[in-house]
């Protein structure tokens, strides 16, 4: 934790401040963050005016985005594995005797899965193809701006 957010004589520890920042990011409101953290709302508004608060909130957001991305990636992997299992081995069904067996999925369900997969793959390919071109275009624009700025600065008056 940054020394900038730890002050001697403060009623609140660095952990308290971090908890308040987490609550603020999760709840989106100083009042609700104050209720959740037990720190007076006036104190949170005072902290909001400091440089360290903005830094701490940005750090918390970055950490949460990373955790969310990892969770969503795991969900995608599990869903893909379950879909592949159903395509290869069929759906689970219970017979009239109470036994669980695998029944091949219908052609309609297989086609729906296929169509969706093809569409998503094409969207991904299109996005991957245009991203480098956009970055190069942005870089070219920025270099042009820098060149014009430098030219303007070196022209004698």
């Amino acid at each position: 934790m940054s020394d900038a957010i730890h002050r001697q004589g403060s009623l609140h520890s660095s952990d308290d401040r971090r908890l308040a920042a987490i609550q603020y990011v999760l709840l989106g409101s100083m009042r609700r963050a104050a209720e959740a953290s037990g720190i007076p709302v006036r104190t949170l508004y005072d902290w909001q005016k400091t440089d360290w608060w903005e830094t701490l909130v940005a750090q918390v957001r970055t950490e949460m985005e990373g955790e969310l991305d990892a969770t969503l990636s795991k969900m995608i992997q599990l869903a893909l594995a379950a879909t592949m299992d159903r395509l290869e081995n069929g759906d689970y069904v219970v017979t009239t005797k109470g036994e669980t067996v695998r029944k091949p999925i219908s052609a309609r369900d297989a086609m729906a899965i296929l169509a969706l997969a093809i569409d998503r793959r094409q969207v991904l390919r299109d996005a991957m193809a245009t991203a480098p071109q956009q970055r190069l275009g942005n870089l070219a624009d920025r270099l042009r701006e820098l060149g014009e700025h430098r030219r303007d600065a070196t022209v004698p008056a």
Side-chain angles (χ1 to χ4, degrees):
M1 188 71 46
S2 172
D3 289 336
I5 68 168
H6 182 72
R7 300 206 170 130
Q8 276 190 297
S10 174
L11 295 175
H12 302 284
S13 69
S14 296
D15 288 341
D16 292 339
R17 294 165 197 249
R18 182 169 177 73
L19 173 63
I22 290 169
Q23 294 300 330
Y24 174 70
V25 169
L26 287 174
L27 301 172
S29 158
M30 283 297 199
R31 293 196 186 287
R32 292 183 4 204
E35 291 171 10
S37 66
I39 297 171
V41 70
R42 183 72 248 153
T43 301
L44 295 185
Y45 280 117
D46 289 343
W47 289 354
Q48 189 179 33
K49 297 173 189 172
T50 65
D51 292 336
W52 63 260
W53 176 260
E54 187 175 320
T55 302
L56 183 59
V57 167
Q59 179 186 6
V60 166
R61 279 195 175 114
T62 300
E63 290 170 6
M64 292 177 128
E65 287 170 4
E67 291 172 12
L68 179 61
D69 185 56
T71 301
L72 291 173
S73 293
K74 180 68 173 176
M75 288 174 62
I76 290 167
Q77 290 173 354
L78 292 172
L80 287 173
T83 302
M84 287 301 297
D85 177 63
R86 294 306 199 285
L87 285 170
E88 292 172 350
N89 303 308
D91 282 326
Y92 289 100
V93 293
V94 179
T95 67
T96 55
K97 296 179 183 178
E99 299 170 330
T100 302
V101 297
R102 304 286 300 254
K103 173 188 166 209
I105 65 168
S106 69
R108 184 181 63 211
D109 289 345
M111 290 303 296
I113 293 168
L114 176 62
L116 186 60
I118 289 171
D119 288 347
R120 296 299 180 229
R121 183 180 66 178
Q122 191 58 46
V123 167
L124 181 61
R125 284 181 175 173
D126 292 346
M128 291 176 75
T130 58
Q133 293 170 351
Q134 288 175 342
R135 283 192 295 254
L136 286 175
N138 293 342
L139 180 59
D141 292 343
R142 183 69 180 128
L143 287 171
R144 210 173 296 111
E145 289 173 12
L146 289 171
E148 290 171 5
H149 177 71
R150 185 174 176 108
R151 194 173 336 125
D152 292 343
T154 58
V155 174

